[in-house]
Amino acid sequence: MKTKQTKSPKSQKSPRPTKNAKPANIARGKTRTPAEATPTSSKFPIAVSNPTKIFWPEEGYTKLQLIEFYADIFPKLQPYVKDRILSLERCPDGMRGGCFYQKEAPSTMPPGTPTKEIAHVGKSAKSTNYVVGGSLATQLALANLGCIAVHVSGSRASSLRKPDWVCFDMDPQSGKFSDAARAGLRLKEVLDTLKLESFPKTSGSRGLHVFIPIKPDTDVNEVLSFAESLVARLAAQFPKDLTVEHSIAARKQRVYLDPYRNGFGQTVVAPYSVRRRPKAPFSTPLAWSEVSPALDPSEFNLGNYAKRLSGADPWQDFFRNRQPLSAAINALKKI
């Protein structure tokens, strides 16, 4: 795979907003902004189209409220998206319509939007021009296109094969966050044994994510191998409650321990990312003392986020705690 840094996105044909649509083939061209967009507030660096469009009918939340949320929390979000490639999940009608995934940078992004072109290895030798996060204008423009959630890579665009975090996804097949919380606490015990400091967050849906900040000196394949080995050992220790089964049917009501967000080019929902779920919850950084089967992740949502932001940030030291992974890799082989 070859990479090439570019400064402006390339145009694409407008995909149809259908539930199962796949990213369309991309035509190259110049960046432009939507002709129908109209400014709604001078505090935004972009024009917002259809600001009163209802994205969450039950709660009455609009597209503008989603954009206001991202504008307000961007100082918190920025460290987790800066210089990282983004995978776009576009839901132009919010909860009312379908969604589609897109990797190519939309032609309607603001001029000068940072992008990263990645040439794929294979017969076609095609490339994808990804949006790179880090600026408020980029984030708000994506929200304006219906990107409710923020899906981000574990490595910087400038060093794609060297992640600076490891992440684990506790996905409860029961649909109960309480099961994910119990799995997360068991994972923490193993990470503590390996002397790795970890940081939990709600996924914004039913699951729990556990992140480990690491020094970007380990190849992505070795990081993935470490994560796979760790969850396999944990599932073997608690086979009635945890699983690494690929087959959904075989998982039954157990918690699926997913290590694959650590693979090359894979993304995970960023901290502070809103989810397309009832009540408009956002992926909320937690202190381990808050991880409890009694916690309801939907308590943190678009309607009350200011209260959460007014308190202490449990992840404030996240990037100050980059740890070498080599010692943990060797230690895991011995337990």
Side-chain angles (χ1 to χ4, degrees):
M1 167 179 286
K2 298 180 180 179
T3 61
K4 179 182 178 182
Q5 189 75 42
T6 59
K7 288 296 182 182
S8 60
K10 300 180 182 181
S11 67
Q12 67 172 55
K13 297 178 181 178
S14 299
R16 296 177 181 177
T18 57
K19 185 174 183 179
N20 299 316
K22 297 181 179 179
N25 292 328
I26 307 303
R28 308 299 186 185
K30 294 183 178 180
T31 304
R32 55 185 174 82
T33 54
E36 71 278 11
T38 55
T40 57
S41 171
S42 59
K43 71 177 180 180
F44 297 145
I46 65 158
V48 180
S49 61
N50 300 313
T52 59
K53 189 173 188 177
I54 301 294
F55 267 23
W56 283 269
E58 292 295 321
E59 294 78 17
Y61 299 145
T62 65
K63 181 203 273 193
L64 180 58
Q65 286 175 284
L66 174 69
I67 290 174
E68 288 175 333
F69 167 86
Y70 278 123
D72 287 345
I73 62 89
F74 191 71
K76 296 281 190 181
L77 172 65
Q78 186 181 36
Y80 305 103
V81 298
K82 185 178 180 181
D83 192 32
R84 297 182 192 272
I85 62 172
L86 307 179
S87 180
L88 314 183
E89 179 188 10
R90 295 178 62 177
C91 308
D93 295 311
M95 293 288 289
R96 284 175 163 161
C99 301
F100 61 95
Y101 285 91
Q102 176 177 338
K103 294 184 177 181
E104 185 79 13
S107 64
T108 50
M109 293 297 291
T113 297
T115 62
K116 179 80 170 184
E117 186 163 353
I118 300 177
H120 304 292
V121 177
K123 294 181 179 179
S124 64
K126 292 182 178 179
S127 63
T128 300
N129 199 36
Y130 289 87
V131 173
V132 175
S135 78
L136 177 61
T138 296
Q139 180 53 45
L140 300 190
L142 291 174
N144 190 50
L145 290 175
C147 295
I148 294 174
V150 182
H151 298 272
V152 63
S153 65
S155 58
R156 306 286 177 172
S158 55
S159 185
L160 289 172
R161 296 205 64 86
K162 302 291 185 179
D164 62 359
W165 69 48
V166 186
C167 64
F168 299 92
D169 182 2
M170 315 283 106
D171 185 5
Q173 302 307 292
S174 65
K176 299 177 181 178
F177 178 80
S178 57
D179 291 340
R182 294 186 188 96
L185 291 170
R186 284 171 169 167
L187 174 62
K188 182 183 185 297
E189 291 179 1
V190 178
L191 297 176
D192 288 347
T193 299
L194 296 174
K195 295 181 171 53
L196 288 173
E197 185 172 3
S198 55
F199 295 76
K201 71 180 181 72
T202 67
S203 70
S205 183
R206 61 188 184 179
L208 181 79
H209 293 162
V210 178
F211 278 42
I212 305 165
I214 62 172
K215 292 184 177 180
D217 56 8
T218 305
D219 185 78
V220 62
N221 289 343
E222 194 171 4
V223 173
L224 175 58
S225 178
F226 166 77
E228 288 179 299
S229 180
L230 193 153
V231 296
R233 287 169 181 261
L234 190 59
Q237 188 177 357
F238 301 100
K240 292 184 179 180
D241 302 316
L242 311 177
T243 182
V244 291
E245 289 282 356
H246 291 282
S247 166
I248 294 178
R251 296 174 191 171
K252 299 180 180 179
Q253 293 295 296
R254 295 175 290 180
V255 176
Y256 175 56
L257 307 179
D258 183 3
Y260 296 108
R261 300 305 91 202
N262 298 291
F264 182 77
Q266 296 299 308
T267 57
V268 67
V269 168
Y272 302 103
S273 170
V274 182
R275 303 303 303 275
R276 182 179 172 271
R277 302 289 187 272
K279 298 184 181 180
F282 65 94
S283 181
T284 306
L286 303 171
W288 274 112
S289 60
E290 295 179 288
V291 178
S292 162
L295 179 67
D296 178 2
S298 67
E299 290 179 357
F300 311 115
N301 56 61
L302 210 60
N304 64 10
Y305 68 90
K307 180 180 179 180
R308 180 68 181 184
L309 295 187
S310 67
D313 179 1
W315 282 35
Q316 64 180 353
D317 293 326
F318 185 85
F319 287 112
R320 299 173 191 166
N321 284 282
R322 291 190 178 97
Q323 305 151 92
L325 194 60
S326 55
I329 291 173
N330 292 330
L332 182 61
K333 295 175 182 178
K334 299 176 182 179
I335 63 174

